[in-house]
Amino acid sequence: MLSNPQLLWVDPYKYTAGAPFRVFPVGEFKRGERVLDLTKERLGEMKSNYEAQRPRWKIPIYAGHPTDTQPDPPKLGNVASLDLRDDGLYAMPEYNEDGQSLTQKESYQYVSPGVLWGLAGALYTDEQ
């Protein structure tokens, strides 16, 4: 039985210039058949890893998720920094021209994060 019957999927998104957007809320998050408990401590580890350059590249912001017909969605920019708040983990975007144009046109309604949760059932690790 889940400790929180409300599963968090994606956050509604509205672009505000110069403002971060929430990537993950604190709570339970459904990923495929798995339910992950994203505690503030765990999100803090993600932030710390990013600040320590693990991974060694900036987190990309894409227009959508990879599919069979579009394995590499258009890149809209990068995450410049992460901010941990009481209600979740926030990303400060640095958009390229396409990203600025599409977000200002309010072309996107939701944030749907993609994370390397691990291989063969392993949990998130520092290098991911």
Side-chain angles (χ1 to χ4, degrees), residues 9-10 29 31 61-74 108 110-115:
W9 298 82
V10 293
F29 185 81
R31 177 72 176 144
I61 300 172
Y62 294 109
H65 291 282
T67 65
D68 291 339
T69 58
Q70 187 177 34
D72 192 18
Y108 295 95
Y110 298 98
V111 171
S112 179
V115 174

Side-chain angles (χ1 to χ4, degrees), residues 49-50 52-59 124 126-128:
N49 287 338
Y50 191 57
Q53 297 183 329
R54 293 184 307 251
R56 293 177 297 277
W57 57 86
K58 290 185 177 182
I59 299 170
Y124 171 85
D126 289 350
E127 288 306 312
Q128 294 173 319

Side-chain angles (χ1 to χ4, degrees), residues 45-112:
E45 289 177 28
M46 288 182 181
K47 179 183 185 302
S48 294
N49 287 338
Y50 191 57
E51 290 171 348
Q53 297 183 329
R54 293 184 307 251
R56 293 177 297 277
W57 57 86
K58 290 185 177 182
I59 299 170
I61 300 172
Y62 294 109
H65 291 282
T67 65
D68 291 339
T69 58
Q70 187 177 34
D72 192 18
K75 185 176 174 184
L76 303 181
N78 295 304
V79 171
S81 62
L82 294 173
D83 183 28
L84 182 62
R85 300 180 183 179
D86 287 339
D87 67 337
L89 187 64
Y90 285 72
M92 177 57 78
E94 53 184 17
Y95 292 114
N96 60 26
E97 287 183 25
D98 290 340
Q100 289 175 4
S101 175
L102 289 172
T103 54
Q104 288 171 353
K105 291 178 186 175
E106 298 186 7
S107 298
Y108 295 95
Q109 297 177 344
Y110 298 98
V111 171
S112 179

